[in-house]
Amino acid sequence: MINETTGYVICRTARKIHQHMTNSLAQFDITPEQWVVLQIVAEEADLSQQKLAERLEKDKNSTKALVDRLIKKGLLKRQRSADDKRLYQLKATGSGLALADKIAPLDSTFMQEGEGNVTGEELSMFMQTLRKLEKNITQNITAATRQ
């Protein structure tokens, strides 16, 4: 049955997490996708937009649109790299850092509640398995695009 396949269960769970995060983040006028970008930029100093796109596994245009929305909200800023004038580095603004500090505990609490009665060992094994699945799928996609 389709609803018992690995892909279906992963997608259904991810959709529920996304729905919850969408509802929780609405009070901050930020989407889950924007939250991920803000969190990454807040954590990593001098991150280029290109590196961000690679981290997100998104194309440059989608990443630019996300960054532009966060800049418009005053949460990020884009500045030229001191080392390479062709590159722009992303930085979280004071407002962006403050918002990240406010949201991070909510995100963490939600995931801890979701993990509930799952032991540390079970969670570790689950993460190892998910990473193996991701690696296998990535290899299959890469092989298919070479053909």
Side-chain angles (χ1 to χ4, degrees), residues 36-45 47 52 76 90-92:
V36 169
V37 170
L38 178 60
Q39 189 176 32
I40 290 170
V41 174
E43 290 174 356
E44 293 187 32
L47 184 68
L52 176 63
L76 293 184
L90 301 172
K91 299 231 187 244

Side-chain angles (χ1 to χ4, degrees), residues 74-94:
L75 301 173
L76 293 184
K77 61 184 174 182
R78 188 186 286 126
Q79 60 190 42
R80 290 232 185 248
S81 167
D83 300 329
D84 185 343
K85 296 296 181 196
R86 297 169 298 169
L87 293 179
Y88 284 99
Q89 293 173 320
L90 301 172
K91 299 231 187 244
T93 63

Side-chain angles (χ1 to χ4, degrees), residues 11 17 19-20 27 29 40 53 55 70 77 81 84-85 101 104 115 120 130 132 139:
C11 286
I17 292 169
Q19 288 169 345
H20 172 79
Q27 65 182 312
D29 188 32
I40 290 170
R55 286 276 313 275
L70 290 167
K77 61 184 174 182
S81 167
D84 185 343
K85 296 296 181 196
D101 286 345
E115 292 163 3
L130 268 180
K132 282 183 183 178
Q139 288 173 342

Side-chain angles (χ1 to χ4, degrees), residues 52-71:
L52 176 63
E54 291 169 11
R55 286 276 313 275
L56 296 172
E57 296 185 19
K58 289 190 170 292
D59 63 67
K60 291 177 187 177
N61 290 335
S62 297
T63 302
K64 181 184 180 312
L66 270 168
V67 167
D68 287 347
R69 282 192 287 279
L70 290 167
I71 288 172

